[in-house]
Amino acid sequence: MEYEFIFVDSSLVICHSFGVASVEGFIASAEALISDSRWSPGMDTISDHTHLDMSRLTASEVEQIAGGEGEYSDEIGQGRGAIVIGHHAPASYGLARMFEALIEPLVEGTVRAFWTLGEALVWLRGPDYSLPAGLPERLDRPAPAPKIESRSRPGKKPTGERSKRGTAA
């Protein structure tokens, strides 16, 4: 499971995930997010799992994920969390709703599952909110664009956007 964090503004972060879902991947992404210097308790989050293969997750594993993430209640704070699944995966949507029920008593924030990013944004920001230009197209890609090394300056380190990207097996 891979993920990247996109800090939209000081109160909203998107965790864009892809690959094959795993308990370890979900816990690693939660730990990485709350450890990020841009994170502050109470931020709203969108967990965009539209490109994540959750077909192998079991109900028991969803319970493990909720329990593991629930341990970070203080670091998460009272923010709202929107889980976006996409219309292509009704079983995954059911697992997200199960996670919603399991995490509710463990954290102060509110978590809800949504079929689309648009629905999640309306819940978090209202009907008139729009993501910054280019961001919706970036989220449509099944994986972040590769970081490209500059060819014009020998020895220059790779450049990329200011998102944090991680991998968990």
Side-chain angles (χ1 to χ4, degrees), residues 63-119:
E63 288 182 85
Q64 291 175 48
I65 294 164
E69 291 188 11
E71 292 181 19
Y72 299 108
S73 180
D74 290 341
E75 293 88 348
I76 293 169
Q78 296 181 350
R80 293 176 292 171
I83 303 168
V84 178
I85 299 300
H87 287 291
H88 64 281
S92 295
Y93 182 79
L95 290 173
R97 293 293 307 267
M98 180 181 167
F99 175 82
E100 182 183 307
L102 292 166
I103 197 77
E104 182 179 7
L106 303 177
V107 297
E108 292 182 48
T110 305
V111 177
R112 295 288 176 263
F114 296 93
W115 290 106
T116 68
L117 179 62
E119 293 168 340

Side-chain angles (χ1 to χ4, degrees), residues 2-3 8 13 17-18 20 22 40 48 54 57-58 65 68 86 88-89 104 108-109 115 125 129 160 166 168:
E2 294 185 73
Y3 52 88
V8 178
V13 61
S17 61
F18 47 98
V20 179
S22 67
S40 55
D48 180 1
M54 295 195 305
L57 279 182
T58 65
I65 294 164
H88 64 281
E104 182 179 7
E108 292 182 48
W115 290 106
R125 295 292 186 259
Y129 181 82

Side-chain angles (χ1 to χ4, degrees), residues 119-141:
E119 293 168 340
L121 285 170
V122 167
W123 181 65
L124 290 171
R125 295 292 186 259
D128 297 327
Y129 181 82
S130 296
L131 288 172
L135 190 50
E137 294 79 13
R138 180 176 171 190
L139 293 171
D140 280 341
R141 294 191 300 253

Side-chain angles (χ1 to χ4, degrees), residues 36-74:
D36 192 293
S37 62
R38 298 167 290 178
W39 172 259
S40 55
M43 288 182 78
D44 289 336
T45 60
I46 296 175
S47 297
D48 180 1
H49 300 319
T50 55
H51 299 289
L52 183 65
D53 177 2
M54 295 195 305
S55 65
R56 297 182 187 128
L57 279 182
T58 65
S60 175
E61 289 173 321
V62 173
E63 288 182 85
Q64 291 175 48
I65 294 164
E69 291 188 11
E71 292 181 19
Y72 299 108
S73 180
D74 290 341

